[in-house]
Amino acid sequence: MSIWVNKDTRLIVQGITGKQGAFHTEQMVAYGTNVVGGVTPGKGGQEVFGVPVFETVREAKEKTGANASVIYVPPKFAADAVFEAADAGISLIVCITEGIPVLDMAKVMRYLAGKDVRLIGPNCPGIITPDECKIGIMPGYIHRKGHVGVISRSGTLTYEAVKQLSDRGIGQSTVVGIGGDPIRGTGFIDTLAAFEADPDTYAVVMNGEIGGSGEEEAAAFIRERMTKPVAAFIGGQSAPKGKRMGHAGAIISGGKGTAAGKITALRKAGVAVAETPDRIGAALEEAIRTAGVYGACVTCEKVI
Amino acid sequence: MKIHEYQAKELLREYGAPVPGGYMVTTPEGAKEAAEHYETCVLKAQVHSGGRGKAGGVKLVHSPAEAFSCAENLLGKRIYPHQAGPDGKLVSKLLVTEAVDVQKEFYLAVTGDMENAGLVIVSSAEGGVEIEETAKTRPEAILTIPVSPMTGYRTYEGLPVAASFGLDAAQTKELHALLRSMVRLYLEKDCSLVEINPLVLTKEGKLLCLDAKVNFDDNALYRHPEIADLKDPAEEDPMELRAQAQGLSYVHLSGNIGCLVNGAGLAMATMDILSAYGGSPANFLDVGGSATAQKVKAAFEIVLSDPGVKAIFVNIFGGIMKCDIIAEGVVEAARELGISVPLIVRLEGTNADKGKEILRASGLSIIAAGSMAEGAKLAIGAAK
């Protein structure tokens, strides 16, 4: 089992004929993701790595039975791409695009409210259920099938965490990059709740960072609702106040959103917080040993 | 993106907000001429920082001659507002504006509410002080009222603000008009903050925006070229400007270990691990999740232009971007730029072994680190 994506996911790629879209379509197809179609207005009828291109998302969905979409279009057009996918009845939308204006995302979220649509991202690496379905830009080969869920606001730091787990023989159920923007479709709590409900996930790693209050709210959720062990790392402990650290959402403003505040909240909720980013795997291992699920979480060969 | 007070006031005026008249001047002569329009006026240093008053950047003057001498004392000097950091801010522009008799001071702002994907009006009947300060000492004195980005301002949303300010019927109408202007400005120009502090009630009983701060969403500047033009390069860190032009995300810090990392999360984590082991990062630098050899070289140039850098730590997790490509970029940059400080490189992920081999075969004195922690320790040792 897993959350949100699996071998039955039928994916379309919005912006499939662009440089990023085409490159990652090839990578996703090679990984084994069921990419059933792509969309680029004006390029309907073409093929990209054997994947048929359609004019609109609606047409792609009607002809292929797609139930998920990934967006690789430039920031100017990304919000409209989400609207289009939602209007066409796609229930899982993964938006990789970085640099979407905040007000565009605010309108997107208002539009999606109450609809049966899950948006992951934007400004994220995507979502992967190892050996079944890779949607996004992450390097597939570092992942191993298993029972630890991973949630992260960043890209390469997620890969770092996943590699540390895989090296310890600890496979992953699903890895979700929720993105580095201040307004995101799916947050920590939605993802934690899904992992808590997934019988095949035994523990969770969450990578947070400075800015916003998502980690503090996640800490409250973990304390009240989670029975599964959680390990965490919070990036930006050494970041200065008032400076945006690469991600649009990674900024300490008005004394709020500090790493120290988030770490304290998570520790109070019983989360094993890694002091340094090289110890994410170690923190998780300690947490699952304490919880008595270490043996069950070892699903692949240890290399360290 | 930030702009100056005089620019923020011009924008607010365009949107119909009550803003006092004024002149932006850059010379003592200009200040004198401007002061001739007023009986008494205020000279305000135009720098991107709060706390200017306490730092001596705001002066009340009673004659053109006094305006001249006061401007002479301010222009070309540095002021040190507590929000501005140890280097202070160089004053090269002054706003000369009418002095106003004030009855009451309030705080009023429109800003983003990320958790609810909308906006909020933030207000306090205790104006003139920083809102963070009020939030700490008297949080109950702050009102926050959500506003939908789909509808804009609706009159009932401002009523609690009017009540807390103790406004009469005519003043309440003025407040609605002001809030409508602020929200419209926020939505039309993709702001991240429209702040009036203080908003004052004059002796005559009128609302007036005595100070104003407007910030913008960088991601939306492409659709507001007229706003992008308001940027004052003198207020930006020169290295950060150079990095921006190269499409790199860079933040200048005060330490001595230059960092070059792919991905914002890992770049922050790299600063953290250096700090955790007793080191001090000179910068945050994200070359991007899909860095090219060319970008790596541009990044080296920026890191090396910081005279404080005593060692460089390259921390790369190759995903889609392969480590051998990154290694080639590192070697090329090291050769062309003649890097004279110790260079520590940690490569992990796709083709990491190939990358390490390229570094080894280059004959350059590049120190290869086996792990992030080892790299951090090596860099700290080398920077000492």
Side-chain angles (χ1 to χ4, degrees):
Chain A
M1 280 272 288
S2 55
I3 67 169
W4 300 332
V5 300
N6 55 39
K7 58 184 182 347
D8 298 325
T9 301
R10 297 173 65 78
L11 181 73
I12 56 164
V13 179
Q14 290 176 258
I16 191 167
T17 56
K19 194 177 156 221
Q20 292 282 316
F23 176 78
H24 290 294
T25 297
E26 186 183 17
Q27 298 278 325
M28 291 188 291
V29 168
Y31 191 78
T33 306
N34 192 12
V35 183
V36 296
V39 177
T40 300
K43 306 230 169 140
Q46 297 185 4
E47 274 195 3
V48 174
F49 299 108
V51 175
V53 180
F54 300 94
E55 282 292 312
T56 65
V57 177
R58 189 173 298 278
E59 186 196 356
K61 184 177 187 281
E62 276 165 8
K63 298 213 170 127
T64 66
N67 55 14
S69 162
V70 62
I71 294 170
Y72 294 101
V73 308
K76 277 186 194 182
F77 312 111
D80 273 3
V82 179
F83 284 123
E84 190 190 348
D87 280 346
I90 299 286
S91 56
L92 179 76
I93 304 167
V94 181
C95 185
I96 306 301
T97 310
E98 176 174 8
I100 304 176
V102 172
L103 281 174
D104 287 8
M105 273 313 299
K107 287 171 188 162
V108 164
M109 292 311 294
R110 297 264 164 167
Y111 188 74
L112 297 186
K115 291 192 168 64
D116 187 20
V117 176
R118 171 164 305 287
L119 170 66
I120 296 175
N123 190 11
C124 78
I127 175 170
I128 180 169
T129 292
D131 297 350
E132 293 192 29
C133 179
K134 162 181 135 92
I135 301 179
I137 58 173
M138 67 291 276
Y141 78 95
I142 57 173
H143 301 80
R144 298 284 179 274
K145 196 166 192 53
H147 304 291
V148 173
V150 179
I151 319 168
S152 178
R153 274 171 73 184
S154 100
T156 43
L157 187 60
T158 316
Y159 314 157
E160 187 78 47
V162 166
K163 176 121 194 338
Q164 288 178 25
L165 294 176
S166 296
D167 283 353
R168 286 170 182 271
I170 300 166
Q172 305 90 43
S173 52
T174 301
V175 177
V176 188
I178 58 173
D181 270 9
I183 297 181
R184 45 186 174 250
T186 295
F188 282 113
I189 291 181
D190 289 351
T191 317
L192 285 167
F195 280 135
E196 175 70 15
D198 173 29
D200 224 24
T201 297
Y202 305 155
V204 179
V205 170
M206 64 176 264
N207 275 345
E209 63 192 31
I210 55 166
S213 56
E215 291 81 356
E216 288 85 338
E217 286 149 22
F221 179 86
I222 291 166
R223 199 179 55 231
E224 286 158 23
R225 306 275 190 82
M226 291 282 291
T227 58
K228 299 174 183 178
V230 181
F233 173 73
I234 302 296
Q237 297 172 45
S238 57
K241 284 178 189 167
K243 282 279 190 180
R244 189 162 273 115
M245 306 305 282
H247 286 151
I251 180 165
I252 302 168
S253 55
K256 281 192 187 151
T258 64
K262 292 173 190 294
I263 290 170
T264 306
L266 288 166
R267 288 223 166 104
K268 272 190 192 157
V271 174
V273 181
E275 298 279 352
T276 52
D278 57 322
R279 298 196 47 79
I280 299 170
L284 186 275
E285 187 173 318
E286 214 176 283
I288 55 179
R289 281 186 191 278
T290 308
V293 292
Y294 172 74
C297 285
V298 174
T299 54
C300 57
E301 200 185 329
K302 275 193 235 188
V303 295
I304 53 160
Chain B
M1 188 190 103
K2 295 178 179 180
I3 58 173
H4 287 297
E5 176 194 2
Y6 77 93
Q7 297 166 318
K9 283 180 166 171
E10 269 166 33
L11 261 178
L12 279 161
R13 189 179 294 119
E14 273 174 42
Y15 276 82
V19 174
Y23 301 84
M24 195 278 284
V25 302
T26 54
T27 61
E29 292 76 18
K32 181 174 162 256
E33 266 173 45
E36 278 161 4
H37 295 91
Y38 309 111
E39 221 164 88
T40 51
C41 60
V42 183
L43 266 53
K44 303 180 83 177
Q46 298 296 290
V47 294
H48 290 181
S49 173
R52 291 171 299 167
K54 278 182 196 154
V58 180
K59 301 280 186 194
L60 182 71
V61 299
H62 299 88
S63 70
E66 195 186 350
F68 184 93
S69 63
C70 205
E72 220 173 12
N73 285 332
L74 274 171
L75 288 165
K77 305 274 161 54
R78 287 191 168 269
I79 59 170
Y80 298 87
H82 69 99
Q83 292 180 15
D87 295 337
K89 289 277 185 187
L90 181 70
V91 182
S92 53
K93 295 187 179 88
L94 296 173
L95 175 65
V96 181
T97 178
E98 185 181 358
V100 177
D101 282 330
V102 172
Q103 222 186 103
K104 267 185 183 170
E105 294 192 330
F106 312 117
Y107 176 95
L108 189 63
V110 176
T111 188
D113 176 10
M114 302 309 180
E115 272 70 30
N116 297 306
L119 327 180
V120 276
I121 295 168
V122 181
S123 80
S124 166
E126 297 166 17
V129 284
E130 283 163 40
I131 195 72
E132 287 85 6
E133 201 45 49
T134 314
K136 250 184 249 160
T137 53
R138 299 207 343 99
E140 70 281 5
I142 297 175
L143 285 181
T144 53
I145 298 157
V147 175
S148 165
M150 312 302 263
T151 58
Y153 177 71
R154 287 165 296 189
T155 308
Y156 68 86
E157 291 162 342
L159 289 175
V161 179
S164 75
F165 287 1
L167 303 182
D168 66 22
Q171 293 158 352
T172 301
K173 265 193 179 166
E174 286 176 40
L175 180 75
H176 288 317
L178 172 58
L179 278 169
R180 200 170 291 119
S181 300
M182 290 167 71
V183 171
R184 206 158 60 81
L185 167 63
Y186 191 101
L187 293 174
E188 287 180 6
K189 301 290 185 189
D190 283 279
C191 298
S192 55
L193 175 71
V194 178
E195 183 187 70
I196 315 294
N197 188 25
L199 168 71
V200 302
L201 198 59
T202 63
K203 273 269 160 60
E204 296 75 35
K206 295 272 184 199
L207 287 178
L208 191 64
C209 304
L210 219 53
D211 198 351
K213 188 179 189 179
V214 179
N215 298 346
F216 302 90
D217 176 3
D218 292 333
N219 287 343
L221 286 176
Y222 73 86
R223 55 189 175 204
H224 308 293
E226 77 291 355
I227 298 293
D229 285 346
L230 298 178
K231 186 171 199 156
D232 181 355
E235 287 284 340
E236 312 288 325
D237 182 286
M239 279 193 277
E240 293 181 13
L241 281 180
R242 261 180 71 192
Q244 261 171 35
Q246 299 281 353
L248 298 164
S249 179
Y250 172 94
V251 177
H252 191 198
L253 305 167
S254 56
N256 59 6
I257 302 167
C259 300
L260 206 152
V261 189
N262 67 334
L266 190 60
M268 262 186 278
T270 303
M271 289 164 47
D272 291 346
I273 198 165
L274 286 169
S275 303
Y277 289 123
S280 177
N283 63 272
F284 164 96
L285 199 164
D286 170 15
V287 293
S290 55
T292 58
Q294 197 186 354
K295 266 198 173 175
V296 171
K297 197 182 150 211
F300 266 112
E301 284 175 7
I302 288 158
V303 171
L304 283 168
S305 68
D306 179 352
V309 167
K310 302 289 177 241
I312 297 178
F313 181 23
V314 177
N315 187 13
I316 300 290
F317 196 105
I320 296 305
M321 174 41 71
K322 298 174 179 72
C323 288
D324 49 333
I325 309 276
I326 293 278
E328 277 166 12
V330 169
V331 167
E332 198 185 307
R335 283 222 174 95
E336 283 184 35
L337 303 170
I339 296 175
S340 57
V341 297
L343 177 58
I344 293 91
V345 180
R346 179 258 183 162
L347 295 173
E348 184 59 89
T350 314
N351 294 355
D353 290 336
K354 267 193 196 170
K356 286 174 195 165
E357 186 46 42
I358 289 167
L359 295 180
R360 211 173 299 126
S362 72
L364 294 165
S365 58
I366 296 171
I367 306 163
S371 70
M372 200 188 330
E374 190 196 333
K377 286 175 192 162
L378 285 168
I380 293 164
K384 269 183 186 152

